[in-house]
């Protein structure tokens, strides 16, 4: 089985080195989908439904069609003719400027038969609520899970905690909205898409347009964030291609910021009733949950309860609820931050009932050997021992508190292919159809090659983000690094082996005696027998060396553990929660780049704080209209609220590569919630923990 | 299309309102715009149509044809292929389109191209001199103050503008300077580090 060399022998992996595309990003040279300009490019725009539920009776686009500068209008883009949320696509135009495209939208007249709707979960769950889908009730059949014997479990329990918690809908708000540029070349279609998966997007577009996949090429050189929302092809892809066909010109179709918020995904909310049982000596023996969540008109609003802790007897029952709202999509650790918010608090409630320190209670019940070590390491670094033994210890009005929570994530690597090309002049190209979401994938692809060939990373040209390159899956589930790194190493190992064959023959030395390092190949027995990189590659003659690689066992793993600690200060007069500091301890097996891995943890924690305190997609239940679809109204954590964040990457190199994008955002909101409780002695059972909710909790 | 003046119900930049005190448009460009009739009740003149104006972008004079409503961001990105300034919110909420106009930060999405005529516009593409990066740019790379990079040009410009007027900022001053810039990947802490490192590297001045 393949394996990595020891960490101490590495030049790049495990170390800190700047990302290779930093230069392009700080100079504006990096071309994102939004930046693609082509000769004759037209600008597409989508008309959105203003109604949460309506039948499209008629669309009159004649005035739009007649507007000078308009090159294509589509009025048949809705698949069923019945819109089910505000923002849904109704018609589309392409024009010579974005301004004219917007003008054209205003000229389209749509007759709607307005229907009754249920845009929020509380309305939709009422028995007499209008149905989102006429043929089925809003509350879907439950998904049930569990193990052991729940009744026997609670019989063993000497102490039981029963509580309710609630989380909100969160929208992704990637800085680059969803969108693409579509260009036809005869029967072939090229799509530049802001995507997390060029290959899956190609499959989706080809299916939608009924084209052979080989006629579709998808390119994504740079993309401005996705967080799970850009894993699948969307209606706009097909619409852009159709507009381009109709206008006989390339079309750029980017959603508006509000359209992105309304149509391009969200994290479902969770309404949870949970029950936890433990023995008198603190062993958790039973967990039961009944939960509801809405993914809008979509499904899979479930949670990962009971997350992080291995409890012998569990029973879960979850109901998806349809609402007249945009469908959910994967969002950074789907189902987990909401589950963690519930689980870690009910664990703390239990610890308090048992009169145990929350840390000791975790150590007693956590079965993950890595996390047990992380709890101890983190607690020491954070100064957990200084935590006041009882909540609400400060005289006020500013009260401080500390909390903790556990991080967990499961998926690992999977089939990815690659191609290494060594050119006779010494050039090195590595091709892989993965993509870089800002997670430094391009950089680690080059680093793995550089590490294996003993050359500087700058000499490796990493070519990614194109379906013309060997297959890799979507960048979701923190699977990218463990999928890609082994495939890159595999191709490079094979290429190195062939180069060593050439060197052995040329130098007249046994291949087993040769080593590649520091830009040259040399005999271990006789250092004078050596070739520098250029001389070595010149042995190729005229034909480049091309080798294919694939994902192989042994270089990656699945499953990570982490833990977080937070200290907050609550202003009990205004209800404002201020996060003072967060410590995140996170493993990811073999660290490929410590600098960029830390950046990902920073970002995950920041999104978690934002989720805990600020973010909340609001839909007016009376009109069904989303109220905060822009950055003005949808608050995300900014520079002034940034706490001190410390990151400890917990090395376990023997496990190989594991992804780190998702797990560190799992426990942040829960950790802050526990800290808020410790500060004020009252539980805020719903996020975001806005001042009104904190004040309400204080007044109970 | 009727010759309606600026709508009150829905914000529109379709027409340009010339009002006293708002006379930022050079007199030279106005004749090529068409004066609409009737004039508004308050006597303000409303212009429509397109005009060719000169923008000085990163030291070069560039011609663009703009309508009164065309934003500086739209002119830069769609006509001049200056795409370092990003379109994210298009309404002044996120700072991703921050550029310098006569040395001061403006949001290109909230600045009409006509108002930028004749002024010195510096975008992130114009910071490096003779292939040598601005120390702010170098510090962003070194400190990994970027992830997806879509907000990065805006942050770089905000930090550059800060250092131009305050070569030795505190971290609190850096935070204030980038308070109008939104990052969704979560690079803030490292942006602060990069700004302070750039200060140390060059005494705050451009390298």
């Amino acid at each position: 089985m393949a394996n990595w060399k020891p960490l101490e022998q590495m030049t790049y992996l495990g170390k800190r080195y700047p990302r290779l595309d930093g230069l392009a990003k700080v100079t504006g040279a990096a071309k994102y989908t939004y930046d693609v300009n082509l000769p004759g490019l037209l600008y597409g725009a989508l008309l959105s439904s203003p109604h949460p539920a309506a039948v499209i009776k008629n669309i009159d686009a004649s005035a739009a069609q007649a507007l000078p500068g308009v090159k294509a209008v589509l009025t048949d883009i809705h698949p069923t003719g019945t819109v089910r949320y505000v923002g849904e696509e109704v018609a589309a135009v392409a024009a010579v400027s974005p301004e004219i495209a917007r003008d054209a939208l205003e000229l389209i007249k749509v007759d709607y038969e307005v229907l009754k709707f249920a845009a929020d979960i509380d309305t939709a769950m009422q028995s007499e609520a209008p149905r989102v889908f006429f043929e089925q009730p809003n509350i879907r059949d439950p998904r049930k899970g569990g193990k052991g014997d729940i009744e026997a479990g609670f019989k063993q329990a000497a102490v039981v905690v029963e509580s309710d918690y609630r989380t909100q809908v969160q929208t992704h708000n990637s800085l680059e909205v969803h969108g693409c540029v579509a260009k036809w070349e005869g029967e072939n279609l090229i799509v530049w898409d802001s995507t997390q998966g060029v290959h899956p997007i190609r499959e989706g577009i080809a299916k939608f347009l009924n084209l052979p996949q080989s006629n579709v090429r998808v390119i994504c050189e740079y993309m401005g964030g996705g967080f799970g929302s850009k894993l699948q092809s969307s209606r706009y892809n097909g619409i852009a291609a159709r507009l381009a066909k109709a206008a006989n010109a390339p079309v750029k179709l980017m959603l508006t910021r509000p359209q992105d918020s309304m149509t391009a995904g969200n994290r479902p909310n969770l309404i949870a009733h949970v029950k936890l049982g433990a023995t008198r000596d603190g062993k958790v023996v039973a967990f039961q949950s009944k939960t509801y969540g809405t993914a809008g008109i979509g499904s899979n609003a479930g949670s990962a309860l009971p997350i992080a802790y291995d409890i012998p007897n569990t029973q879960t029952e979850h109901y998806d609820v349809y609402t007249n709202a945009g469908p959910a999509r994967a969002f950074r650790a789907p189902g987990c931050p909401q589950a963690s918010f519930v689980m870690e608090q009910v664990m703390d409630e239990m610890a308090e009932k048992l009169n145990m320190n929350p840390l000791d209670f975790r150590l007693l019940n956590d079965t993950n050997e890595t996390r047990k070590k992380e709890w101890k390491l983190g607690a020491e670094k954070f100064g957990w021992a200084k935590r006041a033994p009882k909540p609400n210890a400060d005289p006020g009005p500013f009260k401080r508190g500390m909390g903790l929570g556990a991080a967990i994530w499961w998926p690992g690597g999977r089939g990815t292919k690659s191609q290494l090309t060594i050119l006779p002049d010494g050039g090195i190209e590595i091709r892989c159809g993965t993509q870089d979401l800002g997670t430094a994938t391009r950089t680690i692809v080059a680093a793995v090659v550089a590490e294996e060939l003993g050359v500087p990373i700058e000499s490796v040209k990493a070519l990614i983000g194109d379906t013309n390159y060997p297959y890799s899956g979507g960048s979701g589930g923190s699977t990218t690094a463990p999928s890609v790194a082994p495939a890159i190493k595999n191709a490079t190992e094979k290429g190195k082996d062939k180069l060593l064959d050439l060197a052995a023959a040329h130098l007249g030395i046994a291949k087993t005696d040769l080593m590649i390092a520091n830009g040259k190949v040399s005999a271990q027995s006789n250092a004078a027998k050596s070739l520098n990189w250029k001389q070595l590659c010149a042995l190729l003659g005229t034909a480049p060396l091309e080798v294919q690689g694939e994902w192989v066992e042994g270089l990656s793993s699945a499953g990570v553990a982490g833990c977080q600690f937070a200290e907050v200060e609550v202003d009990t007069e205004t209800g404002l929660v201020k996060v003072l500091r967060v410590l995140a301890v996170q493993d990811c097996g073999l660290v490929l780049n410590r600098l960029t891995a830390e950046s990902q943890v920073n970002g995950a924690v920041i999104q978690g704080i934002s989720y805990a305190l600020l973010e909340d997609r609001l839909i007016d239940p009376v009109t069904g209209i989303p109220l905060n679809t822009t950055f003005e109204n949808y608050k995300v954590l900014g520079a002034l609220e940034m706490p001190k964040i410390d990151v400890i990457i917990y090395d376990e190199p023997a496990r190989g590569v594991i992804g780190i994008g998702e797990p560190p955002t799992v426990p942040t909101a829960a950790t802050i919630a526990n800290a808020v409780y410790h500060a004020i002695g009252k539980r805020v059972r719903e996020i975001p923990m806005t001042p009104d909710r904190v004040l309400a909790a204080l007044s109970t | 299309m009727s010759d309606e003046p600026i709508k009150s119900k829905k914000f529109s930049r379709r027409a340009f309102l010339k009002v006293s005190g708002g006379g930022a448009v050079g007199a030279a460009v106005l004749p090529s715009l068409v004066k609409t009739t009737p004039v508004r009740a308050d006597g303000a003149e409303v212009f429509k149509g397109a005009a060719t104006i000169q923008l000085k972008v990163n030291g070069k004079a560039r011609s663009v044809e703009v309508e009164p409503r065309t934003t500086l961001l739209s002119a830069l990105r769609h006509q001049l292929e200056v795409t370092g300034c990003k379109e994210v919110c298009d309404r002044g909420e996120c700072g991703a389109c921050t550029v310098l106009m006569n040395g001061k930060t403006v949001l290109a999405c909230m600045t009409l191209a006509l108002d930028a005529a004749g002024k010195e516009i510096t975008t992130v593409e114009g910071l490096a001199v003779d292939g040598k990066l601005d120390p702010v740019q170098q510090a962003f790379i070194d400190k990994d103050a970027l992830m997806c990079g879509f907000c990065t040009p805006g942050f770089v410009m905000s930090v550059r503008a800060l250092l131009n007027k305050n070569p030795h900022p505190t971290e609190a001053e850096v935070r204030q300077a980038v308070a109008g810039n939104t990052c969704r990947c979560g690079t803030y802490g490292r942006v602060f580090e990069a700004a302070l490192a750039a200060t140390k590297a060059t005494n705050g001045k451009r390298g």
Side-chain angles (χ1 to χ4, degrees):
Chain A
M1 207 158 62
N3 54 42
W4 299 96
K5 63 187 173 188
L7 205 52
E8 57 276 14
Q9 292 175 23
M10 300 275 202
T11 305
Y12 292 105
L13 307 191
K15 307 287 196 304
R16 312 168 72 84
Y17 48 98
R19 60 184 76 212
L20 288 181
D21 49 15
L23 179 67
K25 288 177 177 177
V26 300
T27 56
K31 290 288 179 191
Y32 296 75
T33 297
Y34 218 143
D35 303 331
V36 171
N37 278 336
L38 301 171
L41 182 72
L42 301 178
Y43 297 86
L46 292 167
L47 184 68
S48 297
S49 168
H51 302 295
V55 178
I56 301 168
K57 303 300 274 186
N58 185 50
I59 301 177
D60 177 3
S62 52
Q65 197 95 51
L67 185 71
V70 172
K71 301 294 181 186
V73 179
L74 297 176
T75 56
D76 61 346
I77 60 170
H78 197 280
T80 65
T82 301
V83 293
R84 290 198 161 84
Y85 58 92
V86 172
E88 209 175 342
E89 306 87 342
V90 172
V93 301
V96 294
S97 76
E99 290 86 0
I100 294 173
R102 285 200 296 268
D103 289 347
L105 292 184
E106 289 187 26
L107 297 175
I108 299 175
K109 291 191 179 70
V110 186
D111 292 334
Y112 294 99
E113 180 193 334
V114 175
L115 306 172
K116 287 184 176 161
F117 61 88
D120 67 300
I121 191 168
D122 296 304
T123 304
M125 285 172 64
Q126 289 166 15
S127 57
E128 70 281 13
R131 283 187 169 188
V132 175
F133 293 99
F134 317 122
E135 63 277 14
Q136 54 182 313
N138 293 338
I139 301 178
R140 302 182 70 197
D141 291 340
R143 263 177 295 151
K144 294 180 178 177
K147 64 174 183 176
D149 183 333
I150 194 67
E151 281 181 27
F154 277 110
K155 265 190 197 142
Q156 285 175 53
V159 184
V160 172
V161 174
E162 205 165 348
S163 321
D164 293 289
Y165 288 98
R166 196 165 165 141
T167 71
Q168 78 281 43
V169 174
Q170 181 187 25
T171 48
H172 299 75
N173 280 300
S174 310
L175 277 229
E176 184 180 32
V177 290
H178 291 65
C180 70
V181 175
K183 184 190 178 207
W184 289 92
E185 289 179 351
E187 293 304 303
N188 295 311
L189 175 67
I190 305 176
V191 178
W192 288 262
D193 193 39
S194 181
T195 180
Q196 294 177 236
V198 289
H199 282 280
I201 292 289
R202 169 165 79 170
E203 192 185 341
I205 292 173
K207 201 171 171 187
F208 181 83
L209 295 171
N210 200 21
L211 287 173
Q213 287 184 31
S214 60
N215 286 19
V216 182
R217 179 181 174 195
V218 176
I219 301 170
C220 177
E221 182 139 24
Y222 293 96
M223 62 90 75
F227 312 107
S229 69
K230 294 177 178 171
L231 284 163
Q232 62 212 80
S233 60
S234 308
R235 276 188 202 159
Y236 73 78
N237 291 119
I239 294 168
R242 287 188 57 206
L243 286 170
K245 191 81 153 180
N248 196 24
V251 170
K252 183 192 286 186
L253 177 56
M254 306 300 293
L255 303 187
T256 64
R257 175 61 46 192
Q259 285 170 342
D260 197 75
S261 171
M262 293 185 290
T263 71
N266 52 68
R267 182 193 297 284
N269 70 342
L270 192 71
I271 299 171
H273 180 80
V274 291
K275 195 172 155 189
L276 188 72
T279 60
R280 180 59 63 196
D281 56 1
K283 207 75 189 155
V284 175
V285 288
F287 172 87
Q288 194 174 29
S289 66
K290 187 176 182 186
T291 55
Y292 297 86
T294 182
I297 65 160
S299 53
N300 292 328
S303 82
L305 281 170
I307 192 168
Y309 302 99
D310 188 18
I311 301 168
N313 306 293
T314 65
Q315 188 183 71
T316 60
E317 190 175 315
H318 171 76
Y319 298 83
D320 270 6
V321 181
Y322 285 127
T323 52
N324 288 103
R329 289 187 177 183
F331 195 159
R332 205 170 194 167
C336 291
Q338 52 268 57
S340 175
F341 175 74
V342 176
M343 193 69 204
E344 295 294 351
Q345 290 198 85
V346 76
M347 287 288 281
D348 261 26
E349 287 187 272
M350 179 61 84
E352 188 174 27
K353 268 200 170 180
L354 292 165
N355 206 19
M356 287 180 78
N357 184 297
L359 177 67
D360 297 334
F361 185 57
R362 298 309 190 284
L363 287 170
L364 184 64
N365 285 288
D366 198 335
T367 53
N368 184 295
E369 293 305 320
T370 300
R371 200 186 298 105
K372 281 185 187 175
K373 294 175 209 154
E374 290 172 337
W375 283 124
K376 288 175 187 162
L377 174 69
E380 193 200 319
K381 297 276 181 194
F382 188 76
W384 184 258
K386 291 186 202 135
R387 180 181 184 267
K390 296 282 175 198
N392 194 18
D394 287 336
F398 293 95
K399 294 174 186 286
R400 291 192 175 192
M402 293 185 190
L404 49 68
I408 186 169
W409 191 246
W410 304 272
R414 64 202 160 155
T416 283
K417 298 188 182 346
S418 64
Q419 180 184 300
L420 177 77
T421 303
I422 310 255
L423 296 146
D425 69 353
I428 305 166
E429 295 171 341
I430 181 77
R431 288 176 171 78
C432 180
T434 183
Q435 46 281 314
D436 191 333
L437 317 187
T439 49
T441 304
R442 180 180 278 107
T443 305
I444 60 170
V445 162
V448 171
V449 176
E451 190 71 61
E452 196 68 24
L453 293 180
V455 296
I457 189 171
E458 295 79 15
S459 67
V460 180
K461 191 182 252 185
L463 299 164
I464 62 169
D466 192 328
T467 50
N468 279 357
Y469 302 149
Y471 176 82
S472 186
S475 289
S478 302
T479 59
T480 309
S483 300
V484 169
I488 304 301
K489 185 175 193 303
N490 182 249
T492 314
E493 278 176 355
K494 291 178 188 169
K496 184 164 98 174
D497 194 56
K498 293 197 171 162
L499 288 175
L500 289 176
D501 282 337
L502 289 174
H506 183 78
L507 294 170
I509 284 174
K511 192 167 135 191
T512 49
D513 190 24
L514 290 174
M515 58 175 282
I516 286 189
N518 302 320
K520 62 180 185 180
V521 58
S522 52
Q524 293 174 60
S525 60
N526 179 1
K529 288 269 189 185
S530 74
L531 294 168
N532 67 29
W533 181 254
K534 287 249 176 200
Q535 292 166 331
L536 175 63
C537 296
L539 299 179
L540 290 166
T542 54
L545 173 65
E546 290 180 353
V547 281
Q548 318 301 319
E550 62 184 348
W551 184 89
V552 288
E553 292 275 358
L555 299 172
S556 60
S557 293
V560 291
C563 60
Q564 291 182 14
F565 298 81
E567 183 171 15
V568 303
E569 183 178 83
V570 182
D571 180 342
T572 54
E573 288 174 348
T574 65
L576 196 70
V577 176
K578 188 173 169 189
V579 179
L580 302 174
R581 60 190 180 110
V582 176
L583 170 67
V585 186
Q586 185 63 53
D587 77 309
C588 64
L590 170 66
V591 182
L592 294 172
N593 183 340
R594 202 167 297 275
L595 180 66
T596 60
E598 287 173 1
S599 286
Q600 286 201 71
V601 179
N602 278 331
V605 169
I606 288 168
Q607 276 192 0
I609 301 170
S610 197
Y611 177 61
L613 300 182
L614 299 171
E615 297 184 38
D616 190 359
R617 185 209 61 189
L618 300 171
I619 295 186
D620 176 17
V622 179
T623 62
I625 296 173
L627 299 173
N628 50 355
T629 60
T630 66
F631 281 123
E632 185 181 5
N633 296 320
Y634 187 91
K635 295 294 181 194
V636 297
L637 205 71
L640 298 179
E641 296 110 4
M642 224 28 68
K644 182 177 179 332
I645 299 170
D646 290 309
V647 176
I648 298 174
I649 305 285
Y650 189 83
D651 288 274
E652 288 194 332
R655 300 184 65 207
V657 180
I658 319 177
I660 200 170
E662 280 155 303
T665 207
V666 172
T668 309
T671 300
I672 291 166
N674 279 337
V676 167
Y677 174 77
H678 182 237
I680 63 175
K682 295 284 170 68
R683 287 249 161 235
V684 183
R685 296 180 179 274
E686 184 170 3
I687 41 176
M689 290 178 277
T690 45
D692 57 323
R693 290 193 177 127
V694 173
L695 290 177
L698 280 165
S699 68
T700 56
Chain B
M1 295 263 304
S2 65
D3 288 330
E4 62 202 334
I6 290 176
K7 290 180 184 174
S8 57
K9 185 175 151 222
K10 198 168 178 182
F11 175 63
S12 167
R13 292 183 289 213
R14 190 171 304 159
F16 181 81
L17 183 66
K18 189 187 172 231
V19 291
S20 59
V25 181
V29 305
L30 286 177
S32 57
L33 297 173
V34 182
K35 201 181 286 188
T36 63
T37 52
V39 293
R40 291 197 343 172
D42 60 6
E45 296 171 319
V46 179
F47 293 87
K48 295 182 79 169
T52 301
I53 60 166
Q54 296 267 307
L55 291 178
K56 277 191 233 167
V57 182
N58 298 326
K60 285 186 199 144
R62 311 278 302 267
S63 283
V64 286
E65 194 186 84
V66 298
E67 295 177 61
R69 61 170 162 172
T70 307
T71 61
L72 175 60
L73 181 64
S74 182
L76 288 169
R77 288 181 55 83
H78 301 130
Q79 293 193 49
L80 301 179
E81 286 226 26
V82 177
T83 55
C85 44
K86 300 301 181 200
E87 184 170 336
V88 171
C89 68
D90 205 26
R91 51 187 287 169
E93 295 161 352
C94 75
C97 64
T98 303
V99 298
L100 304 185
M101 189 158 86
N102 287 350
K104 287 187 178 165
T105 53
V106 295
L107 300 172
C109 76
M110 297 296 281
T111 305
L112 292 172
L114 286 169
D115 283 340
K119 293 177 183 153
E120 294 282 351
I121 309 296
T122 306
T123 72
V124 77
E125 287 95 337
L127 285 186
V129 178
D130 298 330
K132 194 176 182 320
L133 290 182
D134 184 304
V136 173
Q137 293 173 310
Q138 189 60 53
F140 268 64
I141 298 173
D142 295 343
K143 297 291 179 185
D144 204 41
L146 58 126
M147 281 191 258
C148 83
F150 213 70
C151 69
T152 306
F155 273 96
V156 168
M157 297 311 289
S158 292
V159 172
R160 172 36 60 208
L162 168 70
L163 299 191
N164 283 349
K165 63 180 180 196
N166 177 4
H168 299 287
T170 61
E171 190 194 287
E173 287 166 334
V174 173
R175 284 175 183 248
Q176 282 292 345
V178 299
N181 293 82
T182 298
C183 168
R184 190 55 161 157
C185 297
T187 57
Y188 294 99
R190 287 184 159 172
V191 168
F192 308 155
E193 284 177 34
L196 298 175
T199 304
K200 284 185 194 130
T202 62
N203 209 19
K205 301 203 175 71
R206 278 174 88 150

